[in-house]
Amino acid sequence: MHTPPPFPASRPRRLRRDAFTRELVREHRLHPSDLIYPVFILDGHNQVQDVASMPGVQRLSIDRLLGVAEQCVALGVPVIALFPVIDTGLKTPDGIEATNPDGLVPRAVRALKDRFPQLGVLTDVALDPFTSHGQDGLLDDSGYILNDATVAMLTRQALVQAAAGVDIVAPSDMMDGRIGAIRSALESQGAIHTRIMAYSAKYASAFYGPFRDAVGSAKNLGKADKKVYQMDPGNSDEALREVALDLAEGADMVMVKPGMPYLDIVRRVKTEFRVPTFAYQVSGEYAMLKAAAANGWLDHDAVMMESLLAFKRAGADGVLTYFALDVARLLRQG
């Protein structure tokens, strides 16, 4: 590393003297193309439901989703991510509704691609919105989540989504071997353009609470947890092994989740692999900033922008964030 001359020959504050100089030498910056907008969808017509634990976030029926997609296109947000709120009557222990070609997610994908073909669509490959127990997989008699049987169901789910026309499937379940199984199945069906963004380092985090409220899995999960398949928050080297496995199995892009509490993992992944690396600014992170801003403790827009810049500085190529539209609007204002 270059060692600058000592003071006073070196005065770092010279490069902070005025706005144009700070802009000129800025190392990292945000752009709308860095953002992926997660949206909760539900069945019905003209349905809009506020998510109490996520101020400003709503569950939307497909017809109302199209208006949000139109905003994404207008603001330059390149990808919308879909997370379904499944009717309780359709939830089963095996989550079979996830494989329904006429289910909520495939219908939403078809509607989006028909209306806005230029907008990227990402879908979650996971069973927890569809299972009556709220876990991401199938259970054995003791309640343990079965790996291989779950992978088989996830593969069927991914194929249904690909057939509907989705651009990116994003397995978020953390089962072993699911990327390879999904990649092989996609290839065998001729879906060679379907990208896989793997949730490669997804931690068993306490920051997911509002999301589980939003998709309706919190009550099903009850007091159970996901520690037998999601990663231990104390582990860092393990994340690199998980990423390496997913890349070897055919992932095109990898993700770290949650975001800000795991920026060290984002940096390690980007440094080690130099592949497209994403992070998810999860519901708990969003809710904390919203609550502090609502109480007047923080400047909403300032902390929103600073938090997302931190992802870029850590090495993320893009961020899934519920702030996406707000950020894109601010960036447009210049």
Side-chain angles (χ1 to χ4, degrees):
M1 182 178 177
H2 168 67
T3 302
F7 177 88
S10 179
R11 289 182 179 266
R13 287 184 59 193
R14 275 194 289 262
L15 296 181
R16 305 171 198 147
R17 176 76 172 95
D18 44 46
F20 87 81
T21 306
R22 292 191 297 271
E23 181 74 16
L24 185 69
V25 301
R26 185 166 295 139
E27 298 172 32
H28 302 280
R29 63 189 70 239
L30 280 172
H31 188 272
S33 63
D34 298 324
L35 307 173
I36 297 173
Y37 189 39
V39 180
F40 299 106
I41 57 173
L42 44 69
D43 254 318
H45 181 74
N46 198 29
Q47 294 293 307
V48 179
Q49 298 176 358
D50 292 333
V51 179
S53 54
M54 299 177 69
V57 172
Q58 299 172 319
R59 308 177 189 93
L60 304 169
S61 53
I62 293 174
D63 56 314
R64 298 298 294 265
L65 171 69
L66 296 176
V68 173
E70 187 172 16
Q71 293 180 57
C72 289
V73 172
L75 292 167
V77 174
V79 180
I80 193 168
L82 303 179
F83 294 92
V85 182
I86 301 300
D87 185 270
T88 303
L90 295 174
K91 296 186 179 187
T92 57
D94 62 0
I96 191 66
E97 176 63 17
T99 68
N100 180 2
D102 294 313
L104 175 60
V105 173
R107 283 186 281 114
V109 170
R110 289 193 291 267
L112 286 170
K113 297 309 294 184
D114 180 62
R115 181 83 172 270
F116 303 103
Q118 72 274 43
L119 179 65
V121 180
L122 178 151
T123 46
D124 183 40
V125 179
L127 300 182
D128 52 326
F130 302 90
T131 56
S132 52
H133 44 71
Q135 294 285 1
D136 294 56
L138 282 63
L139 311 182
D140 68 10
D141 292 339
S142 71
Y144 184 76
I145 291 80
L146 296 165
N147 192 90
D148 296 8
T150 298
V151 168
M153 189 69 77
L154 294 168
T155 301
R156 292 174 59 186
Q157 181 185 21
L159 287 175
V160 165
Q161 294 174 354
V166 75
D167 301 291
I168 306 168
V169 293
S172 65
D173 55 285
M174 289 301 287
M175 297 297 124
D176 296 336
R178 88 274 205 219
I179 301 301
I182 291 170
R183 172 58 73 205
S184 177
L186 290 171
E187 290 288 327
S188 70
Q189 295 297 313
I192 63 171
H193 302 301
T194 305
R195 281 129 280 180
I196 298 177
M197 181 186 290
Y199 286 63
S200 296
K202 182 178 181 180
Y203 285 83
S205 171
F207 283 90
Y208 302 146
F211 176 94
R212 291 172 183 167
D213 290 340
V215 298
S217 65
K219 291 182 180 179
N220 299 97
L221 189 62
K223 294 183 179 180
D225 59 50
K226 302 187 177 186
K227 294 179 180 180
V228 299
Y229 48 99
Q230 294 178 358
M231 284 183 55
D232 188 315
N235 293 354
S236 177
D237 291 343
E238 183 184 15
L240 300 187
R241 295 196 295 273
E242 288 278 11
V243 170
L245 285 166
D246 285 354
L247 290 171
E249 291 177 21
D252 302 291
M253 302 165 271
V254 297
M255 190 199 301
V256 175
K257 182 181 179 181
M260 191 173 288
Y262 296 86
L263 291 181
D264 60 315
I265 308 302
V266 175
R267 168 47 59 194
R268 288 197 69 187
V269 168
K270 189 63 176 179
T271 299
E272 178 75 18
F273 297 101
R274 300 292 176 184
V275 298
T277 302
F278 293 78
Y280 199 143
Q281 186 180 44
V282 300
S283 59
E285 299 173 66
Y286 173 87
M288 286 193 306
L289 295 181
K290 280 288 188 180
N295 278 284
W297 300 334
L298 293 173
D299 180 319
H300 178 279
D301 289 354
V303 296
M304 173 180 72
M305 301 300 279
E306 185 177 340
S307 69
L308 286 165
L309 189 59
F311 287 93
K312 294 291 292 181
R313 196 177 63 247
D317 296 288
V319 187
L320 286 85
T321 175
Y322 303 97
F323 287 119
L325 296 185
D326 291 337
V327 171
R329 289 189 191 99
L330 274 182
L331 291 171
R332 168 164 285 198
Q333 293 169 11

